[in-house]
Amino acid sequence: MTDSLKGLLIGCGFFSRNHLHGWAEVDGAEIAAVCDLDVSKAQAIAQDFSIPAWHGDASVMNAGDFDFVDICTTMDTHETLVAQAAAAEIPVIIQKPLGPDFATCRRIDQISREAGIPVMVHENFRFQKLFLRLRDILDSGEIGETSFGRLSWRNDIDVYTSQPYLLKTERFMIMDVGIHMLDLARFLMGDADAVTCLNQSVKEGLAGEDASTFLLRHKNGSVTAIDISYASHRTPSLFPQTLGVIEGRGGTVQILENEVLRVHSGGNIRDEKIEDDGRDWTSSPWTQIQDSVPRTQQHFIDSLCHGRAFQTSAEDSLQTYALAEAAYRSAESGRLVSFDDLE
Ligand code: NAD
Ligand code: 89Y
């Protein structure tokens, strides 16, 4: 494909394989090179995915050979890497969490705006088929204006083996999974501006929280309750399902196990089973997450090519990261924290 945008993938760790499988499906883009501080990892993954070049230093961004960079490293590295991409004038898609705290996220957004370089957060949960369909149901007006939401992510997936950095992350659960839930809450229920939150460290030996329960106050008067845990033991495991409910003034949608939406409206009830796309590289239990990756990437490329704003631009995502910051401050203080308190 001669007209494809050429990308550099930075970070060849655990989740990057999903990125590379995803990019192989995206129309209008291809990965031309990969990069990791551990160049042997870059070489191995390049060979697995038939990518022609690999590097051990992200300064190759200066070469001007790339139309975009895909940053798939952990949050502590993001500000530096976005600054490098901005200096090289290369648009960025970057994994969540955008930064370790709200101040860093604001600086990243400022770097993006000052350089005029678009930055999109790879926030893939809203691109899961189930949530796209749920958004369509809400847009159709079938259940009316939303008033209450509940989003629940509770499982005991062994993230510590696949993502060992989480053992030592002080802001752990809210930044790892809470951020997906906060983005979903905004996607489904609208912007919010205040949070109350209680955190727990259930598993011994963690640097941060592995369970969190919070309430969001939305600007339109609705409320979302979110509960997340990596210390919730059930058989079979619920990973990676987000369950819950959205109530509107004229009906309700339940998000049930095994990707079923149960719609109650006008005195009727119907179930919609959301089927996976059946890609040959996805596998249980990760399918629902993996499936969302190429959709997220396609949104980035389509928006870039048509000069449209990303749904989850760095600027838009500041609203999500402000909620995460407010959640931590609420957990520390025992009080409701609003955006005014973050100034
Ligand atoms: P990882 O630690 O397995 O891999 C990160 C890689 O980046 C490492 O190989 C490291 O050497 C490399 N790296 C770090 N700094 C670098 C630099 N300056 N230049 C080049 N390479 C560098 O991490 P992971 O588990 O793959 O997670 C990466 C990101 O993806 C995290 O932010 C995580 O939260 C996110 N993630 C998202 C999802 C999702 O569904 N959206 C799922 C899993 C992980
Ligand atoms: O890190 C988490 C995420 O962002 O999505 C799934 C995950 O990899 C494990 O729960």
Side-chain angles (χ1 to χ4, degrees):
M1 253 201 300
T2 49
D3 289 330
S4 279
L5 299 185
K6 296 207 175 340
L8 169 69
L9 172 84
I10 302 175
C12 300
F14 167 69
F15 204 69
S16 64
R17 302 189 82 80
N18 295 315
H19 284 223
L20 289 173
H21 280 299
W23 286 120
E25 291 187 11
V26 170
D27 287 334
E30 63 184 291
I31 295 297
V34 295
C35 168
D36 198 291
L37 291 176
D38 179 346
V39 75
S40 66
K41 278 165 106 173
Q43 178 176 7
I45 209 165
Q47 287 170 345
D48 283 355
F49 285 85
S50 304
I51 290 161
W54 56 88
H55 306 280
D57 187 335
S59 63
V60 293
M61 274 193 272
N62 292 323
D65 292 337
F66 303 107
D67 302 304
F68 69 93
V69 292
D70 178 19
I71 300 176
C72 188
T73 59
T74 48
M75 60 185 171
D76 44 311
T77 64
H78 287 180
E79 185 177 1
T80 304
L81 289 169
V82 171
Q84 274 182 272
E89 301 185 359
I90 307 176
V92 174
I93 180 167
I94 184 165
Q95 259 297 347
K96 52 58 62 174
L98 179 58
D101 51 42
F102 186 47
T104 308
C105 295
R106 281 173 107 162
R107 287 196 302 274
I108 291 174
D109 174 53
Q110 193 178 352
I111 290 167
S112 155
R113 280 187 290 107
E114 283 178 2
I117 292 303
V119 173
M120 170 174 153
V121 182
H122 180 123
E123 187 37 85
N124 52 325
F125 275 40
R126 67 162 68 197
F127 290 98
Q128 288 177 14
K129 232 172 160 180
L130 179 133
F131 290 108
L132 293 172
R133 176 61 193 140
L134 178 47
R135 186 61 258 173
D136 280 348
I137 294 171
L138 300 178
D139 287 340
S140 75
E142 186 174 1
I143 69 160
E145 205 182 321
T146 54
S147 56
F148 175 80
R150 187 172 61 245
L151 295 171
S152 177
W153 161 286
R154 308 190 74 80
N155 57 66
D156 59 356
I157 179 89
D158 176 17
V159 278
Y160 309 106
T161 298
S162 51
Q163 298 170 249
Y165 51 89
L166 294 174
L167 285 163
K168 295 186 182 151
T169 305
E170 283 177 16
R171 287 185 164 196
F172 164 19
M173 193 63 187
I174 296 177
M175 298 311 279
D176 189 53
V177 168
I179 210 71
H180 289 307
M181 299 297 122
L182 291 170
D183 181 70
L184 281 178
R186 290 185 55 229
F187 181 55
L188 299 170
M189 306 286 294
D191 279 341
D193 64 1
V195 185
T196 59
C197 176
L198 292 173
N199 282 340
Q200 295 167 278
S201 292
V202 181
K203 179 181 155 67
E204 282 178 20
L206 297 173
E209 79 284 359
D210 59 354
S212 184
T213 308
F214 35 108
L215 277 181
L216 304 188
R217 182 184 72 194
H218 292 271
K219 291 178 182 171
N220 57 18
S222 56
V223 168
T224 302
I226 296 176
D227 60 285
I228 52 179
S229 173
Y230 276 137
S232 174
H233 309 294
R234 279 179 56 171
T235 308
S237 168
L238 289 174
F239 179 85
Q241 301 183 59
T242 306
L243 305 180
V245 69
I246 303 290
E247 293 179 0
R249 294 179 197 281
T252 293
V253 184
Q254 290 174 272
I255 311 165
L256 300 178
E257 288 182 30
N258 302 317
E259 295 181 75
V260 171
L261 292 175
R262 179 164 294 165
V263 185
H264 306 251
S265 76
N268 297 314
I269 177 173
R270 71 167 189 282
D271 282 357
E272 294 189 16
K273 167 83 176 121
I274 311 298
E275 300 293 346
D276 298 324
D277 282 351
R279 297 181 160 88
D280 61 7
W281 54 271
T282 61
S283 57
S284 177
W286 284 85
T287 312
Q288 192 175 350
I289 288 179
Q290 290 169 317
D291 256 355
S292 65
V293 168
R295 279 187 222 109
T296 311
Q297 295 166 328
Q298 191 70 62
H299 173 72
F300 172 72
I301 293 299
D302 291 347
S303 306
L304 204 57
C305 289
H306 294 102
R308 293 193 294 252
F310 308 126
Q311 284 188 30
T312 54
S313 64
E315 183 181 12
D316 177 84
S317 300
L318 287 184
Q319 299 282 323
T320 308
Y321 286 84
L323 291 171
E325 184 72 35
Y328 280 110
R329 295 205 196 172
S330 170
E332 279 159 21
S333 66
R335 295 174 189 279
L336 179 124
V337 175
S338 78
F339 282 6
D340 291 341
D341 301 316
L342 299 183
E343 293 308 326

